[in-house]
Amino acid sequence: MKILMVSSECAPFAKSGGLADVVFSLSKELSKRGHDIKILIPGYRFIPADKRSFVQKTQIPLGFNREDVTFSTEKLPESSVMVYFLEHPFFSRREGMYGSRETGTYRDNHRRFTLLNKGAFALCRILAWIPDIIHSHDWQASLTAAYIKSGIEGKTFQSVKSVLTIHNIGYQGVFSKHDIHVTGLSWDKTSEQDAGYNDHLNFLRTGILNSDRITTVSPRYAEEIQTPEYGEGMENILAERKDILSGILNGADYSEWNPEHDAYLPVHFSAENPAPKAQLKAMLQNECGLPVHPDKPLIGMVSRLVSQKGFNELCDTRKSTLERICKELDAQIIILGNGEKKIEEFLEALAGKYSVLKIFVTFNNTLAHLIEAGSDFFLMPSRYEPCGLNQMYSLKYGTIPIVSETGGLADTVTDYAADKEKGTGFLIKDKTPEAIFNTVKKAVSLWYQDKQAIKVLQHRGMEKNFSWDISVLEYETLYKNLTGL
């Protein structure tokens, strides 16, 4: 099959989160299976252009104007897939992807990403290559299905099928309804209701209403977003379309995240030979300024320091969850990441108070790998988590996950407290400071009371397989059922 991936991000060129990794890995794996895959992303200023080849210049209608754009291309690393870049001052003369440090989110993002959506069809015409499927990712690429269904792009694309993947429904691309002229769409293609006084143009809603198939990044998240608690206002239209909605778990990239050959680690280990993990723990403790205590449990976190990841609960000044862990549980804690300033400052102040807590407000990939490998437990108390990858990495590294019972976390971690025969970690049942503390306490208590059970949990986790080899087959089946090819 011929499949065009349209996205605002793709690793290693442009990345702010898991979206970029999914587009990279899924495209690479589909290509390995013989499919003709192409990727379109914006040509952001920060992406080096020295290896790109010129494709063609053209004009794309945008609102009442026509914009001059240039397409260039470069091969996706480790693959034969070609990545195409849409070059325009919207992207090539701006800082960042969605906004800048000075101005925040760009106020004309509706124009910028409408251009990306329209660019998908312009690129296909230039290449004389009409895909069987256009697979769009998140709100930034959600208009493509509406362009197909409305017939705006002509008969050439009328048989093309559309797939939309929602990576995080919290981000929807919401703009003034008065900007709809920029898209060229009529209101009935963007909303199931007549326009009201307080209505807005919503890119993601447009994609949900017009796509032939909708996927999310885990089965549990596909169910959750049909509820008011998680649906962010989209729960009703998603529930109405549940027959075309499914969840496919993101795969872990074991070519990078595998303790048997991790390029960032000085020594390696496996389920059959776990002994070097203790050596890595000692290295991690030493590097982070902690006393080297092999018998003291070490809890690691690698995360964005934001409320979604559970840091409001951890840093709650009344409940003092993280402080209680430091004070009441005989454990060490290492946290790596950056995010909201108030959370960063709280954590740094707490680390100054308790020597068992070490905070690194930065991104350091080498340290991230060492934390995954050297920690005994990995904490992810997320309020919601569409998929999550760190819990998959933790399992592979024999680092027992302590995670919220939500989204992809619940799909990949089996609660030891509920099933000692199949358990691989600990599930936090409620999104409260008390529940987080009590679940961490259970894990630490097991560490001191039953080392054999800890070893069994570690080995069981390392035997799990969440590779893209499995997930790509589910996407392939979805594509085949949709196209009949």
Side-chain angles (χ1 to χ4, degrees):
M1 283 178 281
K2 294 185 288 186
I3 303 163
L4 175 64
M5 299 284 180
V6 185
S7 174
S8 60
E9 302 182 24
C10 177
F13 304 105
K15 175 178 175 177
S16 69
L19 165 62
D21 294 320
V22 172
V23 174
F24 169 81
S25 297
L26 177 58
S27 301
K28 183 175 67 171
E29 295 301 322
L30 285 167
S31 177
K32 285 181 184 177
R33 294 186 58 78
H35 300 288
D36 184 1
I37 311 297
K38 300 186 192 303
I39 302 171
L40 174 65
I41 66 171
Y44 299 114
R45 185 175 74 182
F46 58 81
I47 304 176
D50 55 309
K51 295 181 181 179
R52 288 190 217 164
S53 300
F54 171 79
V55 176
Q56 189 172 314
K57 290 184 177 180
T58 190
Q59 287 190 327
I60 296 175
L62 188 68
F64 304 121
N65 303 313
R66 297 185 69 82
E67 298 291 336
D68 294 318
V69 303
T70 301
F71 288 101
S72 58
T73 188
E74 181 178 335
K75 188 174 289 187
L76 190 72
E78 308 169 26
S79 173
S80 60
V81 174
M82 298 306 296
V83 179
Y84 292 85
F85 302 88
L86 188 154
E87 298 177 10
H88 184 277
F90 281 164
F91 306 112
S92 60
R93 295 181 185 174
R94 303 276 187 96
E95 178 188 336
M97 290 184 279
Y98 312 119
S100 71
R101 295 182 185 91
E102 291 76 23
T103 64
T105 301
Y106 291 128
R107 296 180 66 183
D108 62 349
N109 273 343
H110 60 292
R111 298 179 62 83
R112 300 173 74 233
F113 291 104
T114 293
L115 190 66
L116 176 68
N117 283 262
K118 286 178 170 286
F121 301 95
L123 174 65
C124 291
R125 290 192 181 94
I126 287 170
L127 299 178
W129 180 87
I130 306 304
D132 300 303
I133 292 171
I134 294 181
H135 188 157
S136 300
H137 296 265
D138 270 349
W139 73 263
Q140 295 90 345
S142 287
L143 301 185
T144 53
Y147 289 136
I148 296 171
K149 188 162 285 189
S150 67
I152 286 177
E153 293 298 332
K155 294 182 179 180
T156 303
F157 297 94
Q158 65 183 5
S159 63
V160 176
K161 301 299 182 181
S162 56
V163 177
L164 169 66
T165 294
I166 301 171
H167 295 260
N168 189 332
I169 204 165
Y171 302 93
Q172 299 181 8
V174 179
F175 307 98
S176 168
K177 65 177 180 289
H178 301 294
D179 290 320
I180 194 171
H181 71 280
V182 173
T183 70
L185 294 168
S186 57
W187 181 259
D188 65 301
K189 284 290 182 282
T190 71
S191 177
E192 74 281 19
Q193 298 176 347
D194 293 339
Y197 180 80
N198 292 318
D199 279 333
H200 293 84
L201 172 63
N202 185 311
F203 276 41
L204 187 65
R205 181 180 63 200
T206 303
I208 292 170
L209 290 172
N210 291 281
S211 294
D212 295 313
R213 291 290 185 275
I214 305 164
T215 71
T216 67
V217 292
S218 70
R220 175 75 171 249
Y221 193 57
E223 297 175 3
E224 289 177 344
I225 60 175
Q226 297 178 60
T227 68
E229 183 179 0
Y230 295 99
E232 298 287 344
M234 295 294 106
E235 59 271 10
N236 290 334
I237 63 172
L238 285 167
E240 291 169 3
R241 289 159 181 76
K242 63 182 178 182
D243 291 342
I244 65 167
L245 171 64
S246 60
I248 300 176
L249 198 68
N250 285 344
D253 185 0
Y254 291 139
S255 65
E256 177 181 354
W257 293 93
N258 191 321
E260 296 183 38
H261 52 70
D262 189 322
Y264 293 92
L265 300 180
V267 295
H268 300 100
F269 62 100
S270 64
E272 292 71 33
N273 178 32
K277 182 175 173 69
Q279 184 179 343
L280 291 166
K281 177 180 178 178
M283 290 179 60
L284 176 60
Q285 290 170 319
N286 186 63
E287 183 164 326
C288 294
L290 290 167
V292 177
H293 289 315
D295 295 327
K296 191 182 291 288
L298 177 55
I299 301 168
M301 292 186 75
V302 179
S303 174
R304 287 184 293 119
L305 308 181
V306 295
S307 57
Q308 182 219 322
K309 299 298 182 180
F311 279 95
N312 279 10
E313 288 74 22
L314 279 177
C315 301
D316 187 291
T317 54
R318 292 172 293 113
K319 301 290 185 179
S320 302
T321 307
L322 186 56
E323 185 166 11
R324 285 188 66 193
I325 292 171
C326 294
K327 188 163 55 175
E328 299 179 31
L329 304 182
D330 192 10
Q332 298 173 329
I333 307 103
I334 298 172
I335 301 176
L336 169 66
N338 52 29
E340 296 172 19
K341 188 174 182 180
K342 65 176 182 178
I343 293 174
E344 294 176 351
E345 291 174 348
F346 179 92
L347 293 173
E348 289 179 323
L350 198 63
K353 189 175 178 181
Y354 295 96
S355 61
V356 296
L357 174 64
K358 298 298 177 182
I359 306 296
F360 299 90
V361 180
T362 183
F363 179 75
N364 183 319
N365 203 26
T366 300
L367 183 56
H369 280 252
L370 188 57
I371 289 172
E372 283 286 11
S375 298
D376 299 304
F377 298 99
F378 195 93
L379 180 58
M380 295 179 70
S382 306
R383 288 182 174 179
Y384 67 93
E385 195 67 62
C387 179
L389 289 172
N390 280 102
Q391 82 280 8
M392 299 184 202
Y393 303 154
S394 298
L395 290 167
K396 183 59 69 177
Y397 284 76
T399 299
I400 300 167
I402 307 169
V403 302
S404 297
E405 190 177 31
T406 185
L409 303 180
D411 284 330
T412 51
V413 178
T414 303
D415 189 23
Y416 177 78
D419 190 341
K420 290 181 171 54
E421 297 302 316
K422 296 181 180 178
T424 55
F426 295 86
L427 292 182
I428 304 166
K429 299 291 186 177
D430 298 308
K431 300 174 182 67
T432 63
E434 192 70 23
I436 296 170
F437 175 80
N438 288 337
T439 308
V440 174
K441 184 178 179 180
K442 282 181 189 176
V444 172
S445 296
L446 186 69
W447 171 272
Y448 283 113
Q449 294 169 8
D450 194 343
K451 285 292 176 58
Q452 184 56 36
I454 292 293
K455 290 180 181 178
V456 169
L457 271 170
Q458 290 174 324
H459 187 272
R460 197 179 287 155
M462 295 180 79
E463 292 289 297
K464 291 291 181 180
N465 180 11
F466 294 105
S467 71
W468 273 104
D469 293 343
I470 299 168
S471 301
V472 72
L473 296 178
E474 295 188 53
Y475 276 107
E476 189 175 59
T477 299
L478 182 148
Y479 295 151
K480 286 180 177 178
N481 290 341
L482 182 57
T483 61
L485 296 176

